[in-house]
Amino acid sequence: MRNIIYLRRNRKLIVQPGQHRLPQKYIATAMKNMEYLGFTFSKPLMEVLQTMSVDEFLGMYQQLVQDLKSLVGEHVNFKPMYPNFPQQVMIARDAELYVNAILHYVTLELPEHAPMERIPLLDQVDLEIIDLGNPEDFTQIIRNLIQAKVSISESEKEDIEWVIETYDDLSTVLPGEIPLKENVGFVVGALLKYEKANIKLIGKYMKTATDVLRLAVALSGGDVSLAANTKFRKFKRAERRLLLDLLEQCGNRVEDMLRHKNRWIRLGEILHPAEYKNKYDGCKEAFDILRNNKPYETFGGKVENALRDKDTLLAVDILKDRAGEFARRLDHLLRINEDFSPVIEKFAEIAVHVSTPVLLQVMAHFSHRNERHELRTFFPKGNVAKAIAIPNTLPDIATEACETIVQTCKNTLMNRFSELPPLGDVYVDARLRQYVMPFSQRSASKALRTIVRGSRLEMPEGDTIRFFLWWKEGKVDGIYTGRVDIDLSAVMYDEHWQYIEHISYTNLRSAKYKAAHSGDITSAPSGACEFIDIDIPSVVKYGGRYIVASLNSFTEQPYCDLPECFAGWMMRKHPNSGEVFEPSSVVDRIDIAADTRIAIPVILDLVEREVIWCDLALQMHPNYYNNVEGNQKGMVLMGKAMTSLTKPNLYDLFMLHAVSRGRIVEHADSAQTVFSVNEGVTPFELSKIMAEFIA
């Protein structure tokens, strides 16, 4: 399991050197076979593999191939309705396509087709290198995830939990501090689950009443971000005492508990603090205030009253003791008073106490504050990847104020980063401007590459992009899904987001462009798949620019209730060569497992030849059926939001580190530290970025 996680996260393997001499033909054969999947070995890894016995190597290789197949999607059988796609669809008569579809809808059987000869794959693929790793590096990855200052995804939590369950000695894994409160609840919950915790160990992590609430949520299998309500389970007496002990040691209990009043009241009904006559007096008092609505003036209430009265000076005076809250309300404070000087001066005083993630977001926000984008886009907290886009009606703020705030953030960050170890000569790739900083990964899906929502990835060479979808129906937690029909669609828009055409089960091929669908399969007891091919030059030639790829659960099951569902895309220079699904040409693959019925994995900008990573769940407001035609309004809104998104980028982050900790050079070859898309520290090493650079 350790190598499975290591391979997925860093494309590395831990292999212990042996005392043997493996015949070279075994490594050569393995590497040749792995080319089919798009991977190869690095020289250091080959050198260690050569010291293994034949049996050891074969055991390692068989597991590796299985893991690589799962990464790219080759672990399942791809059998589209038209196996000779795309040529078969393009040359078929309309009547033939119509009759085949009707027969399948009635019988659920696929039409029989005589096989057509397919020439071998002509595309030349850049192989991804699997490198040699070590236990210390793997442990550091997990430690980085635990001490990240931003939220992490469910797959990252699964990896942390496996380590907590498996490792006997967690001293090298657990940091002295867990900065993010969500991670505190999850990690401590896992420690308790596997009986590897005591009050001394976990007490240092639990500092507020909300920390205790998150722990109770984690122990109940709920959402530690607190974005969704949790039904608390019945706790054992020892667990109740532990939660009350932790709550009793927290300062400022009442105000913290009032933020989540109703949840605390429900939790109090389970904890029963009144049962303990001579203990937990602080807890009893807090629950009494909550249950009986006794008056209690909170910090938040004072701030809201001041803002409501537009008393900026009073609001600033209250907020100055909570730097992070001050920074988050900075825009509001500047909007309610034309005299911005007192606000900016106080922010300059307290900026040193604001966390790095918040400073970076404030800096990016005010750098683009007066740009007149049509929409403001937000990603709400929670485990489902939703985006909210609203009209941008914010009034402008004085340019001088924005520039001063940006400079204050930069100076504070550079002073902070300058205390970190030096980087020497540093190269920063300008393409990193297209990659968003990882501030919120809690709703990110498991994927071939870990990418931050809103990032723009360059398309590889080739004129045809091929989307793919695979899903399966069956039993999940003992409950049968029933028939499952997931539809793959691609909608084309011009540069102004005016609809041009779509490719879906209702329109298998374009009348204008070179675009085709592999056929609509409506049941998947053994798994089913769909493909869409789009020829990029043919769309651009006639005014097309954006393509939104979408998945619609026609039979209404949410993706989280399916045994398996994933999607992705390939870039093909010769679409009729090779098999329909060629694993070596897979650029990205993403698991679709959110509690939603509509998903938008990516949006394409064909003019810029960029893939905009979305990983979004779209709310369903169809006219009748859950299909692409019924969700046009939502897709256009999300398309406009994601293509105009302004978020802090990795180039700005790494440049701050470069200026503060090293000397900038123009070429990667002459640098000691490289930040780039393809080498050195890359945008896909999120655990490293979150722990070491957003710190």
Side-chain angles (χ1 to χ4, degrees):
M1 183 65 181
R2 181 172 62 176
N3 268 344
I4 295 176
I5 297 172
Y6 207 7
L7 182 69
R8 171 163 44 85
R9 296 213 163 276
N10 280 50
R11 302 294 188 264
K12 291 182 179 180
L13 294 175
I14 297 173
V15 180
Q16 297 300 327
Q19 303 296 323
H20 302 273
R21 186 67 182 173
L22 183 71
Q24 199 172 39
K25 64 180 181 180
Y26 285 94
I27 295 180
T29 302
M31 293 175 68
K32 184 62 178 176
N33 291 340
M34 286 168 54
E35 288 182 8
Y36 167 67
L37 297 170
F39 296 88
T40 190
F41 293 141
S42 70
K43 184 178 178 181
L45 180 55
M46 282 190 283
E47 290 173 350
V48 175
L49 293 175
Q50 288 172 351
T51 68
M52 301 177 73
S53 69
V54 171
D55 289 341
E56 289 171 340
F57 177 78
L58 291 178
M60 182 282 303
Y61 170 71
Q62 289 167 0
Q63 181 63 53
L64 174 61
V65 169
Q66 181 179 331
D67 297 339
L68 291 176
K69 285 183 175 181
S70 295
L71 278 177
V72 298
E74 177 64 3
H75 62 297
V76 300
N77 180 30
F78 282 87
K79 184 181 178 183
M81 175 177 283
Y82 294 99
N84 300 303
F85 174 83
Q87 183 180 3
Q88 190 174 7
V89 176
M90 298 301 289
I91 65 176
R93 298 185 304 276
D94 290 340
E96 180 185 357
L97 296 175
Y98 174 77
V99 170
N100 286 342
I102 294 299
L103 288 175
H104 174 64
Y105 296 156
V106 173
T107 66
L108 297 182
E109 295 180 1
L110 296 178
E112 294 185 4
H113 300 283
M116 296 174 64
E117 184 178 354
R118 301 185 71 95
I119 61 176
L121 182 68
L122 299 178
D123 298 43
Q124 295 296 315
V125 179
D126 293 331
L127 300 178
E128 193 166 358
I129 296 173
I130 301 172
D131 206 353
L132 179 66
N134 59 74
E136 293 74 24
D137 181 51
F138 175 81
T139 298
Q140 188 61 48
I141 292 172
I142 302 301
R143 186 182 177 93
N144 285 345
L145 291 175
I146 294 174
Q147 62 186 7
K149 288 191 174 182
V150 294
S151 63
I152 60 177
S153 68
E154 287 301 314
S155 66
E156 289 164 336
K157 290 177 182 177
E158 291 170 5
D159 296 345
I160 293 171
E161 184 168 346
W162 178 84
V163 170
I164 290 175
E165 178 186 10
T166 307
Y167 280 33
D168 293 326
D169 180 11
L170 293 172
S171 60
T172 58
V173 178
L174 296 175
E177 180 185 5
I178 303 178
L180 189 72
K181 298 302 185 180
E182 292 179 31
N183 290 351
V184 170
F186 162 72
V187 171
V188 173
L191 290 169
L192 290 170
K193 178 179 178 180
Y194 297 107
E195 299 181 349
K196 295 185 178 180
N198 55 58
I199 191 69
K200 182 179 179 181
L201 173 63
I202 66 177
K204 63 182 179 182
Y205 299 135
M206 311 293 292
K207 298 177 181 178
T208 69
T210 303
D211 292 342
V212 180
L213 177 61
R214 293 185 198 276
L215 175 57
V217 167
L219 294 173
S220 302
D223 175 12
V224 292
S225 76
L226 304 182
N229 287 325
T230 296
K231 182 178 181 180
F232 296 108
R233 66 172 173 82
K234 299 297 182 182
F235 297 114
K236 300 175 184 177
R237 180 172 290 273
E239 293 173 324
R240 288 164 48 199
R241 284 199 302 268
L242 173 64
L243 291 170
L244 288 169
D245 282 335
L246 293 170
L247 182 60
E248 189 71 16
Q249 75 177 18
C250 295
N252 204 23
R253 274 183 303 274
V254 176
E255 180 173 339
D256 208 14
M257 293 169 71
L258 282 169
R259 292 191 182 98
H260 305 281
K261 180 180 176 181
N262 293 331
R263 301 185 199 204
W264 273 112
I265 291 174
R266 295 200 310 271
L267 182 57
E269 294 169 352
I270 296 172
L271 296 180
H272 304 299
E275 284 186 6
Y276 305 91
K277 292 185 178 180
N278 300 316
K279 296 182 69 176
Y280 310 126
D281 291 337
C283 295
K284 294 173 188 175
E285 179 187 10
F287 280 112
D288 180 51
I289 292 172
L290 265 64
R291 283 196 299 265
N292 296 303
N293 294 314
K294 292 186 175 181
Y296 190 92
E297 188 174 32
T298 65
F299 173 86
K302 295 176 184 177
V303 173
E304 291 302 329
N305 288 335
L307 293 175
R308 186 166 50 249
D309 296 336
K310 296 188 176 181
D311 191 338
T312 309
L313 294 178
L314 177 58
V316 167
D317 188 59
I318 298 169
L319 285 165
K320 70 179 187 298
D321 295 324
R322 298 194 182 181
E325 187 71 14
F326 190 120
R328 292 184 182 92
R329 292 180 180 263
L330 199 50
D331 195 293
H332 190 183
L333 290 169
L334 294 172
R335 276 184 276 131
I336 62 176
N337 197 322
E338 292 183 2
D339 183 9
F340 54 79
S341 299
V343 176
I344 292 179
E345 289 172 3
K346 184 57 65 174
F347 176 68
E349 291 178 20
I350 60 92
V352 68
H353 302 296
V354 180
S355 70
T356 298
V358 173
L359 281 175
L360 289 167
Q361 292 178 79
V362 170
M363 184 179 74
H365 172 75
F366 283 98
S367 294
H368 305 279
R369 175 58 176 79
N370 293 332
E371 295 176 4
R372 304 317 300 169
H373 294 295
E374 178 184 351
L375 298 170
R376 296 171 62 203
T377 305
F378 310 92
F379 298 107
K381 185 168 68 173
N383 290 331
V384 178
K386 294 179 180 178
I388 294 175
I390 62 174
N392 181 12
T393 59
L394 290 178
D396 285 351
I397 290 175
T399 301
E400 180 186 352
C402 295
E403 292 175 349
T404 304
I405 291 170
V406 169
Q407 195 58 50
T408 296
C409 292
K410 282 185 178 179
N411 293 340
T412 305
L413 289 166
M414 286 193 292
N415 287 336
R416 187 173 297 173
F417 294 159
S418 67
E419 298 176 0
L420 298 173
L423 298 174
D425 292 336
V426 185
Y427 171 76
V428 183
D429 188 343
R431 293 177 297 172
L432 291 170
R433 289 190 176 94
Q434 304 296 85
Y435 291 83
V436 177
M437 289 188 211
F439 288 128
S440 179
Q441 289 296 101
R442 68 172 62 86
S443 60
S445 301
K446 185 184 294 185
L448 176 60
R449 297 188 292 179
T450 307
I451 303 167
V452 179
R453 193 173 290 118
S455 296
R456 290 172 170 260
L457 295 82
E458 293 180 9
M459 290 184 191
E461 292 183 8
D463 289 339
T464 299
I465 189 162
R466 176 170 295 172
F467 295 112
F468 62 87
L469 162 69
W470 193 93
W471 78 96
K472 192 177 189 299
E473 61 195 48
K475 285 188 176 181
V476 178
D477 297 328
I479 300 174
Y480 181 54
T481 59
R483 182 177 70 86
V484 178
D485 179 7
I486 310 296
D487 292 319
L488 174 64
S489 306
V491 191
M492 306 172 197
Y493 302 92
D494 67 14
E495 62 178 339
H496 303 295
W497 284 98
Q498 296 299 309
Y499 169 83
I500 295 178
E501 192 177 25
H502 68 272
I503 299 296
S504 72
Y505 74 92
T506 62
N507 187 39
L508 291 190
R509 61 189 177 195
S510 170
K512 303 176 183 177
Y513 319 111
K514 294 179 182 177
H517 190 291
S518 66
D520 180 31
I521 299 179
T522 62
S523 180
S526 301
C529 64
E530 294 182 6
F531 295 86
I532 288 178
D533 267 18
I534 296 174
D535 178 77
I536 295 172
S538 72
V539 177
V540 174
K541 180 179 179 180
Y542 292 100
R545 176 164 185 177
Y546 299 112
I547 294 178
V548 178
S550 69
L551 312 174
N552 297 267
S553 177
F554 187 87
T555 44
E556 300 296 329
Q557 296 94 342
Y559 297 112
C560 60
D561 290 345
L562 303 184
E564 188 173 9
C565 181
F566 62 87
W569 59 279
M570 298 173 264
M571 184 61 73
R572 304 292 287 267
K573 298 176 185 176
H574 306 280
N576 284 306
S577 73
E579 298 299 324
V580 179
F581 182 84
E582 281 284 353
S584 64
S585 65
V586 172
V587 181
D588 284 306
R589 199 217 78 158
I590 181 171
D591 284 354
I592 311 297
D595 187 9
T596 181
R597 295 167 177 81
I598 306 173
I600 299 177
V602 294
I603 294 173
L604 307 183
D605 184 338
L606 301 185
V607 173
E608 297 295 332
R609 285 190 65 92
E610 292 176 337
V611 175
I612 303 167
W613 191 260
C614 297
D615 185 16
L616 285 176
L618 187 65
Q619 288 200 342
M620 185 175 65
H621 295 290
N623 296 324
Y624 185 64
Y625 293 117
N626 183 16
N627 58 19
V628 66
E629 292 93 333
N631 289 282
Q632 277 295 307
K633 184 177 180 181
M635 283 197 290
V636 169
L637 185 64
M638 287 300 98
K640 288 182 177 180
M642 296 304 293
T643 51
S644 62
L645 196 65
T646 302
K647 293 291 183 182
N649 64 72
L650 288 180
Y651 178 83
D652 291 342
L653 173 65
F654 293 143
M655 282 298 289
L656 285 171
H657 280 275
V659 171
S660 307
R661 304 166 60 187
R663 297 174 301 279
I664 299 174
V665 297
E666 295 184 359
H667 303 287
D669 293 342
S670 58
Q672 294 166 286
T673 302
V674 174
F675 299 103
S676 177
V677 173
N678 300 316
E679 60 179 312
V681 180
T682 73
F684 313 109
E685 296 181 76
L686 294 191
S687 63
K688 186 180 185 71
I689 294 170
M690 291 188 293
E692 298 182 18
F693 296 98
I694 307 179

